[in-house]
Amino acid sequence: MSIAFCFITPSSSNASLSKPNPHRPFLSSSSPPPPPPTSLHLRLSLSPTSFSLHHNNSNHHRHHLLTAFSAANDAVSFPGGDDDDNNNNNNGNSGGGGGGGGDEGSSAEDKNREEALMVLAEAGRSLKNLPKDLAAAIEAGRIPGAVVSRFLELEKSPVLRWLMQFGAFKERLLADDLFLAKVFMECGVGMFTKTAAEYERRRENFFNELEIVFADVVMAILADFMLVFLPAPTVSLRPPLATSAGTIAKFFHNCPDNAFQVALAGTSYSFLQRLGAVVRNGTKLFAVGTASSLVGTAVTNALINARKAVNKDSAAEVENVPIISTSAAYGVYMAVSSNLRYQILAGVIEQRILEPMLHQHKLWLSAFSFAVRTGNTFLGSLLWVDYARWIGVQ
């Protein structure tokens, strides 16, 4: 870098001095002695290098500017009073990170981070007063600004704010703000539709087999919640596993919760990972189905035994329900039939079809979702009765 100072005095008789001449920094000896300098011109010669300037504006928005300085003809003049602006620019540059330039800013992670920080700035919030898992995901650029906007909206409800203290609920509510409504839909219509399906299949034997009907309804109520919960699409806020974790654990950790869910910007799932989501949810639903069936059949057998004790004539009419075989059969049914139906319902029908069509009409979206889930629940009840009779547990 070279620096040249030029002291210039105004002169009405010499037109050549009206502009600073960088090639003649001093006046000729024939000129009269100049008065004290009235202006100072500083000429900086810099190598033709590009600098990446990082400036944070009032909205905490991060811009990347590439400024090229030429050493051939550029002269920079700093009149009095402008030093503060240049110092501010220098401070902004010194605080930025180096290395990526425009390539880094164009990445999906940086775009997500900038969008999320912009939403927080507009809402007057900061990362410090957000949940730790959400703040870490924003800093890592794993979630876009739309997810942050949804979080801020959900926080306005006391019930949803309390539910979002639990990580699993928070991940599902951030992916679908109607998730809780769908849980109530499923559990609310479960008893009615399953009872109606039982009556459709049994007809005249409905009241004679009321204990079995009751067992099916109890199993349905216990399982309906998990059928909505486990296959629901999520916004993953889970931190990466430790490097010491096994290969299988890492694989299933990176699988989506729904095999058909839409991936967020900067995230992608392979076909194998989506297949892994089906397997992982299948194992969970097998455990849920088996456990709920154990409870349901145990309660049913208790009612049957109580009925036999009161009415001796009914002892030969009604037999106890086989607990182990029925529970295992229901676990397999949930792992296969229920798993696939609810993954398609949540990931394809609702998220990929209904949500884009009715995004601005929440009431219509809820109505269509209610209708589809009611039909799916009724279909599931019919399939279970046929399956149970086919394998001989009923």
Side-chain angles (χ1 to χ4, degrees), residues 34 171 292 351 359:
E171 290 183 338
S292 62
Q351 191 178 47
H359 179 71

Side-chain angles (χ1 to χ4, degrees), residues 9 41 45 56 60 97 126 156 173 238 288 296 299 308 318 323:
T9 58
H41 293 273
S45 297
N56 295 325
H60 306 287
S126 65
K156 297 177 181 179
L173 287 169
R238 296 173 299 221
V288 169
V299 171
K308 289 179 179 179
V318 182
I323 296 179

Side-chain angles (χ1 to χ4, degrees), residues 90-382:
N90 291 336
N91 291 338
N93 185 39
S94 62
D103 293 337
E104 179 184 359
S106 63
S107 66
E109 290 79 7
D110 284 346
K111 182 179 179 181
N112 287 343
R113 187 185 303 110
E114 291 177 0
E115 288 180 356
L117 293 177
M118 177 67 75
V119 172
L120 289 176
E122 291 175 352
R125 302 285 295 272
S126 65
L127 292 176
K128 294 181 180 179
N129 53 17
L130 294 180
K132 293 182 179 180
D133 54 355
L134 181 61
I138 292 175
E139 290 181 334
R142 291 191 284 119
I143 59 175
V147 175
V148 180
S149 298
R150 177 170 290 173
F151 173 81
L152 297 178
E153 288 295 323
L154 293 172
E155 262 197 332
K156 297 177 181 179
S157 169
V159 176
L160 297 180
R161 184 170 60 249
W162 178 78
L163 282 176
M164 286 195 296
Q165 295 178 354
F166 307 97
F169 273 100
K170 179 165 53 185
E171 290 183 338
R172 285 159 175 80
L173 287 169
L174 290 179
D176 182 7
D177 52 356
L178 294 178
F179 168 74
L180 192 61
K182 293 173 182 178
V183 171
F184 283 112
M185 289 178 197
E186 197 72 34
C187 294
V189 303
M191 180 181 298
F192 173 78
T193 56
K194 291 182 184 300
T195 303
E198 294 285 345
Y199 180 79
E200 178 69 20
R201 289 298 187 192
R202 302 179 191 279
R203 292 290 183 177
E204 65 277 358
N205 294 324
F206 179 81
F207 291 100
N208 293 333
E209 300 176 353
L210 194 60
E211 290 83 359
I212 299 177
V213 173
F214 180 80
D216 289 345
V217 172
V218 170
M219 287 188 292
I221 298 302
L222 294 176
D224 276 344
F225 172 78
M226 298 305 295
L227 282 172
V228 181
F229 188 85
L230 289 178
T234 62
V235 173
S236 179
L237 302 177
R238 296 173 299 221
L241 289 179
T243 55
S244 59
T247 304
I248 297 179
K250 289 182 179 179
F251 170 75
F252 283 111
H253 179 81
N254 294 326
C255 292
D257 286 282
N258 186 286
F260 307 99
Q261 76 176 60
V262 178
L264 297 176
T267 306
S268 62
Y269 301 111
S270 65
F271 174 79
L272 195 59
Q273 287 176 321
R274 293 186 180 275
L275 188 61
V278 177
V279 175
R280 183 181 61 186
N281 278 344
T283 57
K284 292 180 180 180
L285 288 174
F286 174 79
V288 169
T290 303
S292 62
S293 181
L294 285 171
V295 174
T297 52
V299 171
T300 299
N301 286 343
L303 292 175
I304 291 176
N305 292 333
R307 182 177 176 181
K308 289 179 179 179
V310 174
N311 187 1
K312 301 295 184 181
D313 297 333
S314 63
E317 296 178 1
V318 182
E319 297 180 356
N320 287 351
V321 179
I323 296 179
I324 302 300
S325 58
T326 302
S327 300
Y330 194 65
V332 172
Y333 169 78
M334 286 194 58
V336 179
S337 175
S338 300
N339 183 25
L340 293 176
R341 283 187 293 106
Y342 277 87
Q343 294 232 23
I344 294 173
L345 172 62
V348 178
I349 298 176
E350 290 181 337
Q351 191 178 47
R352 292 183 180 270
I353 299 177
L354 295 180
E355 173 70 19
M357 291 172 50
L358 305 170
H359 179 71
Q360 302 297 332
H361 307 280
K362 294 296 184 181
L363 184 60
W364 282 105
L365 179 59
S366 300
F368 275 98
S369 181
F370 176 82
V372 173
R373 285 184 173 273
T374 301
N376 178 63
T377 303
F378 186 77
L379 174 64
S381 299
L382 297 178

